[in-house]
Amino acid sequence: QVQLVESGGGLVQPGGSLRLSCEATGSIASVYGMGWYRQAPGNEREWVADISPGGRTGYADSAKGRFTISRDNAKNAIYLEMSSLKPEDTAVYYCNAALSRVGISGTYNYWGQGTQVTVSS
């Protein structure tokens, strides 16, 4: 069994900051790319940022300059530091990981359960 467990969401005022965390747990052999996505009400899920095992990062235009993704390979964890938050950043944020499992061939894509981020005064 593999799980992605997210934490760190909440209510924050415009201009504020939040730090999201996601840890992959279970019978994991290797974790490859990991990333963050978000989905606002009435919208499709959209990519926010991702990071390779070697630390190469990518950001959506909406996240550049305000969000920073980082990774702890020893913990199979990623983080998203969000600053200068805007009301339009309000969404459920999902963690995603491509990984292989112990004793099972192939690479699989997993999603976390999501954590709510609300930016409002």
Side-chain angles (χ1 to χ4, degrees), residues 5-108:
V5 181
E6 299 139 336
S7 61
L11 173 64
V12 63
Q13 292 188 341
S17 299
L18 275 177
R19 183 177 190 251
L20 305 183
S21 300
C22 170
E23 184 172 352
T25 63
S27 57
I28 297 168
S30 296
V31 183
Y32 306 108
M34 298 184 76
W36 291 97
Y37 290 71
R38 68 185 183 185
Q39 187 168 19
N43 291 356
E44 294 186 353
R45 190 172 298 187
E46 64 177 9
W47 170 68
V48 176
D50 58 28
I51 186 166
S52 72
R56 184 180 64 189
T57 59
Y59 296 93
D61 287 344
S62 59
K64 286 179 182 176
R66 300 187 301 126
F67 294 2
T68 301
I69 189 170
S70 60
R71 180 170 180 151
D72 184 338
N73 290 329
K75 296 181 179 180
N76 290 330
I78 59 170
Y79 310 94
L80 187 68
E81 298 274 0
M82 303 185 294
S83 62
S84 302
L85 283 162
K86 307 173 183 178
E88 51 264 43
D89 293 317
T90 297
V92 178
Y93 283 70
Y94 296 92
C95 176
N96 175 265
L99 55 86
S100 58
R101 296 180 59 183
V102 175
I104 300 175
S105 62
T107 301
Y108 299 90

